[in-house]
Amino acid sequence: MPSEFRLYNTLTRQVEPFAPADGACVRMYTCGPTVYNPAHLGNFRTFLFEDLLRRVLRLRGWSVNQVMNLTDVDDKIIKRANERGLTITQVTNPVIEIFHRDREYLRIERAESYPRATEFIPQMIALVQALVDRGVAYQAEDGSVYFAIDRFPSYGKLSRLDTREVRPGARVSQDEYSKENAQDFALWKAAKEEDERTGAAWDSPWGRGRPGWHLECSAMAMSLLGETLDLHCGGIDLIFPHHEDEIAQSEGATGKQFSRFWCHGAFLLTDGTKMAKRLGNVHTVADLRENAVSAAAVRHFVFSTHYRQELNLSADALEGALNAVRRIGTFARRLEEARGGTPALAEAARIAVESARAALFDDLNAPEALAALHTFIGAANAELDRGGTDESAMQEARRAFALIDGVLDVVPEEVSVEAGLAERVEALLAERKAARARRDFAAADAIRKSLEAEGIAVEDLPTGTRWTKVR
Ligand code: AMP
Ligand code: ZN
């Protein structure tokens, strides 16, 4: 069984073997949403790629400590708060609620923490101070503190920027006159009136101000995960300048490598020519719900394309995914209800698990894992048509399906495994009732024991028999 796990590292532009530094727990930081508007499906494509990644890391046998920040102070949030006469918190709180609701709808697992930028101001100030002390940051005449990129020689290593182009002497625009170098970026922004009005200003050694966006991520990542992370992820647009600047700030302050691996998901695009169709206007999770597009279908659609390839959102692609997950759901129910299998079923299950693991461990090849699942469904359906009495083959098929679906999570809710389970338990309880009626207590007991072995507790009450899933 393949156990080497390989991942594309933007830092080296290569697929490389990956393992957490401590051999046990992957410390991963994922840039989260800017919470001024509900996240769109493009954002969620990136969050789904990260959900796939964390599930595959666990399948490989590691635990995961994932941090996803919530950017709750930035220009757009302040602008909105100002327009509406609100504080930034009043703008961001409801959007954060929507984010979690949408995340749950798409079955994106909860990260271990969701720090809000505004809750880490002291850590951000300490980081700016460390950079000032080390001589790589300076306060300019406008009161803001900037990172001096020409005092950090490795600047540009992630985005492979030709740093000569951004050396002093480059054009300096009108509003950036106070910086030493046009490319220097703000660590701490001097407070303006609208920042004060909306609760977006804090005291600091450099006067009232607020953190720059890049600074937030460096401070929160290092506070919660340590100075060197295993993995840092986001959408491809974040490579420059956001991640480049995170590296500069973090490594400029600690002198240590900030993240061993950098992983970036490609963009979700929308196909303008097909927007007239029924599913054509789907851009947010709310739109998905209104159009009865299940989470399973969205996941199937997203995972049908490799995370490093651009993906086009179109009505046809969503229809295709809806049909595919319908087939998967029907199969899930059939598998739950079947009583026995054949040796060939067990063999198909083994092949499916092996192919899915090999694909997922090879730079998260979800399209191939999905293909392995569909191949398995085809083979297993043929075997189930044939009948069979092999209970262990049946169990093997169920385990294979559960393992693959545990990563992809593509069984639509209307025919979920749980629903299939309920039907099967009810059928067995009916059999048990019949056995008791004919005073065949041995058969009745055997049914009860087999249910208990599956984690189903059976209770006989005066009103009838009740069952509960205990594990
Ligand atoms: P933002 O809220 O703009 O900070 O973005 C949150 C995440 O979504 C970041 O990782 C972005 O790179 C990612 N993102 C933004 N637009 C898209 C898109 N169209 N496709 C995929 N990811 C995106
Ligand atoms: Zn970030």
Side-chain angles (χ1 to χ4, degrees):
M1 199 139 289
S3 59
E4 189 181 58
F5 177 73
R6 292 160 62 79
L7 201 56
Y8 183 84
N9 187 355
T10 307
L11 209 49
T12 59
R13 303 289 196 274
Q14 269 172 12
V15 177
E16 296 175 10
F18 169 87
D22 70 2
C25 176
V26 179
R27 286 162 309 117
M28 88 187 225
Y29 187 87
T30 46
C31 290
T34 304
V35 284
Y36 78 105
N37 246 356
H40 54 70
L41 290 184
N43 303 130
F44 277 110
R45 182 195 182 189
T46 294
F47 304 147
L48 280 165
F49 137 63
E50 293 157 351
D51 180 62
L52 174 73
L53 175 57
R54 60 174 279 137
R55 291 179 192 231
V56 174
L57 292 169
R58 283 213 314 271
L59 179 67
R60 173 57 189 74
W62 298 310
S63 62
V64 171
N65 185 2
Q66 180 191 358
V67 173
M68 177 175 280
N69 67 294
L70 302 170
T71 297
D72 64 349
V73 49
D74 102 315
D75 292 348
K76 283 177 279 198
I77 296 169
I78 293 166
K79 184 162 177 270
R80 175 133 326 159
N82 240 309
E83 284 163 3
R84 301 194 180 163
L86 302 172
T87 63
I88 52 168
T89 320
Q90 286 171 322
V91 170
T92 57
N93 273 349
V95 180
I96 291 173
E97 238 171 75
I98 294 170
F99 166 70
H100 282 297
R101 217 173 49 219
D102 290 350
R103 176 185 63 72
E104 272 164 26
Y105 182 76
L106 294 177
R107 304 178 183 176
I108 295 173
E109 288 184 347
R110 217 187 150 75
E112 280 60 34
S113 52
Y114 290 98
R116 296 169 66 140
T118 52
E119 288 168 356
F120 280 76
I121 302 294
Q123 291 87 338
M124 294 176 201
I125 290 174
L127 183 56
V128 177
Q129 189 63 61
L131 292 166
V132 170
D133 292 346
R134 281 188 162 228
V136 287
Y138 61 91
Q139 185 167 27
E141 278 166 29
D142 65 359
S144 296
V145 182
Y146 294 95
F147 186 95
I149 62 158
D150 57 348
R151 288 184 230 156
F152 184 72
S154 65
Y155 189 79
K157 72 175 171 188
L158 180 71
S159 53
R160 307 256 165 123
L161 207 65
D162 182 356
T163 48
R164 277 168 308 177
E165 282 176 16
V166 296
R167 294 274 148 173
R171 274 177 303 120
V172 177
S173 71
Q174 214 49 38
D175 56 335
E176 289 172 329
Y177 65 92
S178 58
K179 289 196 250 175
E180 287 176 6
N181 180 329
Q183 303 296 325
D184 290 352
F185 59 89
L187 298 168
W188 186 260
K189 299 180 170 179
K192 295 188 187 133
E193 212 186 294
E194 59 261 37
D195 301 344
E196 295 288 0
R197 235 190 341 257
T198 55
W202 291 265
D203 287 324
S204 84
W206 314 280
R208 301 277 294 169
R210 63 182 169 98
W213 172 39
H214 317 306
L215 183 76
E216 297 174 7
C217 283
S218 285
M220 291 189 278
M222 292 198 291
S223 302
L224 294 167
L225 295 170
E227 290 177 341
T228 301
L229 322 173
D230 289 310
L231 267 178
H232 195 129
C233 315
I236 196 155
D237 57 321
L238 299 188
I239 296 176
F240 185 85
H242 185 52
H243 288 164
E244 197 68 69
D245 291 352
E246 282 191 42
I247 291 176
Q249 297 162 152
S250 309
E251 300 189 359
T254 66
K256 293 181 192 148
Q257 181 169 34
F258 177 42
S259 181
R260 298 169 51 234
F261 270 69
W262 288 85
C263 301
H264 295 98
F267 257 41
L268 176 75
L269 311 175
T270 44
D271 188 342
T273 62
K274 289 179 181 165
M275 283 296 116
K277 290 202 188 172
R278 181 177 71 90
L279 297 174
N281 303 319
V282 164
H283 295 287
T284 62
V285 175
D287 298 334
L288 290 173
R289 277 207 202 94
E290 273 166 33
N291 285 280
V293 182
S294 62
V298 180
R299 297 178 68 94
H300 196 286
F301 160 66
V302 168
F303 296 152
S304 307
T305 295
H306 190 264
Y307 76 93
R308 287 194 287 116
Q309 304 278 318
E310 279 181 353
L311 171 64
N312 209 26
L313 177 68
S314 69
D316 286 349
L318 283 181
E319 291 279 10
L322 280 163
N323 289 332
V325 298
R326 211 167 287 135
R327 175 174 186 248
I328 295 172
T330 305
F331 176 72
R333 176 148 58 179
R334 189 173 188 198
L335 200 57
E336 279 301 327
E337 287 164 357
R339 293 290 153 76
T342 58
L345 177 65
E347 181 56 16
R350 276 192 291 274
I351 293 171
V353 168
E354 213 169 288
S355 326
R357 282 173 63 104
L360 293 167
F361 292 176
D362 179 17
D363 194 26
L364 306 181
N365 197 334
E368 258 185 41
L370 273 175
L373 177 63
H374 282 290
T375 303
F376 172 60
I377 290 174
N381 271 330
E383 289 310 309
L384 292 175
D385 288 345
R386 202 163 287 154
T389 53
D390 187 339
E391 177 61 22
S392 81
M394 202 57 241
Q395 294 298 349
E396 195 150 344
R398 288 197 187 119
R399 271 199 302 273
F401 183 77
L403 182 139
I404 299 170
D405 191 54
V407 172
L408 301 171
D409 213 345
V410 285
V411 176
E413 34 286 284
E414 54 275 22
V415 278
S416 72
V417 176
E418 281 303 302
L421 178 77
E423 283 185 31
R424 197 163 57 82
V425 171
E426 298 293 350
L428 283 170
L429 287 177
E431 259 183 58
R432 176 170 170 267
K433 194 173 168 191
R436 279 157 57 122
R438 60 172 192 271
R439 308 189 66 79
D440 185 353
F441 296 112
D445 255 349
I447 291 171
R448 180 201 199 103
K449 287 217 172 77
S450 79
L451 283 169
E452 280 171 354
E454 276 190 70
I456 309 289
V458 177
E459 264 177 295
D460 291 307
L461 305 170
T463 48
T465 304
R466 190 173 72 182
W467 67 275
T468 36
K469 194 158 190 268
V470 289
R471 68 175 150 78

